[in-house]
Amino acid sequence: MKVSLYLIGIATTIAGVASAANVWSGTNLYYAAGLSASQRASYFSALQSAGMKVLRVWLDGQTSASTKNTPITSYGDLEASSVGTYDDTVLKLLDTVMVDARKYGIKLIISMHSYNALSRPDIYGQWYGTGYFYEQTAATNGFDNRIRHIMNHVHTSLGRPWKELSDYIFGFEAQNEAMIGKGHDYILAHSGWQCDRAKVIKDTLGPGPKILVMTGGASWMDESVNDTLLNCPYLDVVSIHAYGTGDYSTSAIQPYVTRAVNKGKKLLFQEWGACYYSSPNERCSSATPLSATVRNNNISNWAKQIAAAGVP
């Protein structure tokens, strides 16, 4: 969850499988659009040295000049004052990010909105709240236009729309952790929203270069992966978010891998983490710090367990 990404004690990783034997790794940075040229060079060099292949980025505005103690160029929401009125600043900033990333062999996953922004509230939250946003036709029509606007944004230096930039973009997802604040039952009842948005993405991509259509995870394994998503013909990848250590066990993951393989879907362990503190991993509230040895062992052991299930 993005809340967990804010916590100092959480280190997040994403990794995915095209099949149970094909693995790779990457990471998340929600304020990547605000990094300077020197920051990007240092960051991407470190990711490349760690063998990472993908960076997942957000479009939510960051209005502070310092985020996570990192000085950044602040930028506003894509739709700040009205649904359908676009300020492309964040898209233009990410134009530069993706060009620099490619120099280091890294592609982007573009998360086109987040529940965090909705509940902040951004303009969608102000107009529709966190329920009607997923339920009312006016809200979904406005949001679908947002998706099309993003994907048809013409890159400032490459001169081509994002939807054609498969050398730079690994995947598109409609929303980070859609409906996460609404509860498990609501998510299951409204997962068709995800499939409908996936159709818009797939239709906008057209028959051109292959960019994957993905979900943006949820609170834990069972919320992230459900039958509606696995049966959706427009989704290529179902993403998993999990911070509870029970979801890291090989035996807990394997049934989901089997279900995904049977439905012809890819799974992506998009967010998981190891807490800095001795508090429960999924909450990571301030407590006595764990030793570096324990933290490193946690990361290593949990990664091995996840990898053993075929979703590293």
Side-chain angles (χ1 to χ4, degrees):
M1 61 184 67
K2 192 174 176 185
V3 171
S4 295
L5 291 175
Y6 284 133
L7 296 176
I8 294 173
I10 289 286
T12 61
T13 296
I14 60 176
V17 292
S19 68
N22 189 7
V23 301
W24 47 271
S25 64
T27 193
N28 301 266
L29 189 65
Y30 63 89
Y31 54 90
L35 297 181
S36 68
S38 61
Q39 288 172 324
R40 292 194 301 271
S42 176
Y43 184 57
F44 288 135
S45 177
L47 295 187
Q48 183 184 53
S49 296
M52 296 195 179
K53 302 298 184 183
V54 167
L55 172 65
R56 181 169 172 253
V57 301
W58 279 248
L59 301 185
D60 303 344
Q62 300 295 325
T63 56
S64 172
S66 178
T67 300
K68 301 290 288 181
N69 294 319
T70 300
I72 65 169
T73 298
S74 60
Y75 51 93
D77 286 334
L78 177 63
E79 296 166 274
S81 60
S82 181
V83 172
T85 300
Y86 305 105
D87 174 357
D88 287 348
T89 298
V90 65
L91 305 182
K92 294 174 181 177
L93 289 169
L94 286 173
D95 284 343
T96 305
V97 171
M98 68 177 69
V99 168
D100 285 358
R102 187 168 184 261
K103 297 173 185 176
Y104 296 86
I106 295 168
K107 292 186 178 184
L108 301 187
I109 293 174
I110 308 291
S111 184
M112 293 189 274
H113 194 243
S114 77
Y115 185 86
N116 306 81
L118 183 68
S119 62
R120 184 191 334 138
D122 67 357
I123 193 64
Y124 285 99
Q126 293 170 38
W127 282 24
Y128 302 110
T130 60
Y132 289 150
F133 174 76
Y134 299 105
E135 300 164 10
Q136 292 190 346
T137 300
T140 54
N141 286 346
F143 192 73
D144 289 347
N145 287 335
R146 173 193 177 95
I147 289 172
R148 297 183 187 102
H149 179 84
I150 293 166
M151 295 178 65
N152 284 303
H153 167 71
V154 177
H155 194 286
T156 48
S157 63
L158 300 175
R160 295 158 56 203
W162 279 12
K163 66 183 180 182
E164 296 179 2
L165 300 181
S166 58
D167 289 341
Y168 299 83
I169 298 174
F170 179 81
F172 286 110
E173 65 183 53
Q175 190 176 58
N176 172 58
E177 297 185 338
M179 303 172 241
I180 188 174
K182 306 296 289 181
H184 182 65
D185 290 344
Y186 186 95
I187 288 174
L188 292 180
H190 293 84
S191 287
W193 183 92
Q194 297 261 39
C195 189
D196 292 341
R197 307 292 73 74
K199 183 180 187 304
V200 173
I201 298 171
K202 187 72 78 173
D203 288 348
T204 306
L205 283 172
K210 184 65 171 177
I211 297 176
L212 297 173
V213 181
M214 315 168 68
T215 63
S219 294
W220 58 83
M221 184 83 68
D222 197 45
E223 272 194 358
S224 297
V225 185
N226 64 58
D227 287 340
T228 299
L229 303 179
L230 294 176
N231 288 321
C232 177
Y234 311 107
L235 281 169
D236 301 306
V237 179
V238 176
S239 302
I240 299 165
H241 291 191
Y243 291 92
T245 58
D247 279 342
Y248 301 164
S249 72
T250 303
S251 60
I253 301 167
Q254 283 175 330
Y256 293 91
V257 174
T258 300
R259 288 167 60 193
V261 169
N262 288 342
K263 295 294 185 179
K265 299 296 183 192
K266 301 175 179 67
L267 289 182
L268 181 79
F269 226 112
Q270 198 176 64
E271 289 188 22
W272 65 280
C275 186
Y276 177 83
Y277 300 109
S278 57
S279 55
N281 197 72
E282 65 272 21
R283 298 190 180 278
C284 202
S285 52
S286 182
T288 303
L290 297 170
S291 69
T293 299
V294 170
R295 294 196 306 272
N296 290 340
N297 284 340
N298 284 343
I299 294 170
S300 176
N301 291 336
W302 292 335
K304 289 175 182 176
Q305 291 171 190
I306 296 168
V311 193

